[in-house]
Amino acid sequence: MREPSSRASEESGPVLETVGDGVVLVRVRGSLDGWAGSAELVEALTGVADGGVRRTVVDLSDVDFSDSAGLHALLRGQRKHDQAGATLVVAGPLSANVRRLFEVTGTLGAFHFANDVDAAING
């Protein structure tokens, strides 16, 4: 299993890491909402998609809360990846709060999900 990079514990925004040929891991920690993280996540995901990546893994395993702004950031990233012909995978395990956001908004079907980062990278 991959260990979080030392940068991940020092930074509050998404941390990008190239983990394979054309595969980028985007680690998100804490809250993903209108106050923290969502704007940075949109920026990271659109930048990665524009960079010619073939797969982006968004690690939400350390996200304890997300609201509609966080969901909107993921949806914008998904749309940008679709336009670029790339795959975006959301990796967990997801907290109950985050999973519930996908469930109540009916957006579970809008994303590819993996149980953990390794499965998302290799899947």
Side-chain angles (χ1 to χ4, degrees):
M1 185 152 120
R2 294 189 190 300
E3 292 297 318
S5 69
S6 60
R7 287 181 45 212
S9 61
E10 297 169 6
E11 297 182 17
S12 59
V15 175
L16 282 65
E17 175 185 349
T18 301
V19 293
D21 185 31
V23 181
V24 173
L25 173 62
V26 179
R27 293 189 188 273
V28 184
R29 301 173 62 93
S31 292
L32 184 57
D33 56 34
W35 297 104
S38 61
E40 293 86 355
L41 182 58
V42 169
E43 209 173 286
L45 293 178
T46 57
V48 167
D50 286 339
V53 69
R54 72 176 172 82
R55 176 184 297 258
T56 300
V57 175
V58 182
D59 178 7
L60 298 183
S61 63
D62 287 327
V63 174
D64 51 14
F65 174 79
S66 182
D67 66 5
S68 61
L71 179 59
H72 181 71
L74 290 167
L75 288 167
R76 284 188 59 192
Q78 179 64 57
R79 190 166 38 252
K80 187 69 171 179
H81 277 71
D82 287 345
Q83 292 168 352
T87 302
L88 186 140
V89 181
V90 176
L94 302 177
S95 72
N97 290 332
V98 173
R99 174 158 289 285
R100 179 134 173 85
L101 177 65
F102 290 112
E103 291 170 350
V104 299
T105 59
T107 56
L108 279 170
F111 299 97
H112 297 283
F113 288 93
N115 291 331
D116 58 42
V117 169
D118 288 335
I121 291 169
N122 299 315

